[in-house]
Amino acid sequence: MEHARRPILAGNWKMFKTSGEARRFVDGLSSHVGSVAGLADLVICPPFTAIAAVGDALGSASVALGAQDVYWEVQGAYTGEISPPMLVDLGCRYVIVGHSERRQLFGETDETVNRKVKAVLAHGMNVILCVGETLGERRAGATESAVLAQVRAGLAGISSDQTAGIVLAYEPIWAIGTGENATGEDANHVIRGIRSAVVEIAGPSVAEQIRIQYGGSVKPGNIAEFAEQPDIDGALIGGASLEPDSFIQMAQTWIGRRS
Ligand code: PGA
């Protein structure tokens, strides 16, 4: 049954690439996309300032456009913020919500994360909802309680139907950008726990459908370890998504392992 879930690999570019650099990335990616089309969902999440350029350069290529954050209001006096309709206007189909860098560096809380999840869904886009424990929580044996609390808070008030379409990304904070990844087995164990929590939140059929990614120092050299795990449905990739060859190679590895 696990194989019924289509893999989803998303590149989170964070604060990297001007629009010219972003266009060059797409030029490098385009000729290879055919090799994974229909077998995996690929998503690229550039910084806001490069979303339009990436969208233009992708044209009809089967790679979806995403954003790294959003504000929940439609419009108004919110200096510096970007609304869901603005992202829809640029062709975004996904929005990353609750990334640990937003939570840790920019004051994102479970409550604001939940408001953003609802706003993204209300505007017909897909959510990539990030959860993950700190090193301190892991050492204290509190990984599961920390992660599941974030899942429950993030999904509060979301219908079962909508929950089924959400992508969850389990990203242990100590593994992000550090070169230190969780083992495939470890990540699968936590992700299996998340899936069990989704059974309670939204029922068994939603838990079977919902896709849960691993993220944190995923790269071409270690992605197979995650791809072979039964509960992991893809990856949210930071640093290693910045080069087209590396991104496409990871998608090909994932497909190869799961077919
Ligand atoms: P990383 O980032 O792959 O560079 O560790 C992952 C993420 O933060 O989404």
Side-chain angles (χ1 to χ4, degrees), residues 10-14 16 96 99-101 130 169 171-180 214-219 235-242:
N12 171 15
W13 284 0
K14 309 194 179 184
F16 290 96
I96 297 173
H99 190 281
S100 62
E101 285 151 15
C130 301
E171 299 203 303
I173 294 168
W174 49 269
I176 294 178
T178 59
E180 225 181 288
Y214 167 75
S217 297
V218 174
K219 47 186 183 274
L236 181 56
I237 305 157
S241 74
L242 292 168

Side-chain angles (χ1 to χ4, degrees), residues 62-191:
S62 48
V63 177
L65 202 51
Q68 300 172 18
D69 188 27
V70 69
Y71 192 59
W72 55 80
E73 295 289 349
V74 168
Q75 59 181 16
Y78 304 104
T79 301
E81 294 297 324
I82 302 287
S83 76
M86 293 170 182
L87 297 179
V88 170
D89 181 47
L90 293 179
C92 284
R93 285 167 46 202
Y94 289 85
V95 184
I96 297 173
V97 177
H99 190 281
S100 62
E101 285 151 15
R102 302 288 330 160
R103 293 181 193 255
Q104 293 206 310
L105 304 174
F106 302 101
E108 198 84 77
T109 64
D110 281 338
E111 198 219 325
T112 58
V113 167
N114 181 244
R115 291 180 83 153
K116 291 180 176 189
V117 168
K118 288 175 175 158
V120 172
L121 295 173
H123 289 86
M125 294 180 288
N126 302 303
V127 173
I128 299 177
L129 171 60
C130 301
V131 299
E133 82 284 6
T134 62
L135 187 55
E137 286 163 341
R138 168 156 288 234
R139 287 192 175 139
T143 295
E144 183 137 318
S145 59
V147 167
L148 298 190
Q150 288 172 8
V151 170
R152 289 197 183 93
L155 297 178
I158 310 291
S159 72
S160 296
D161 275 1
Q162 287 190 309
T163 300
I166 285 176
V167 177
L168 295 174
Y170 167 56
E171 299 203 303
I173 294 168
W174 49 269
I176 294 178
T178 59
E180 225 181 288
N181 58 280
T183 66
E185 271 177 26
D186 238 14
N188 195 70
H189 176 77
V190 178
I191 286 175

Side-chain angles (χ1 to χ4, degrees), residues 232-247:
I232 308 182
D233 304 314
L236 181 56
I237 305 157
S241 74
L242 292 168
E243 292 300 328
D245 290 354
S246 155
F247 190 55

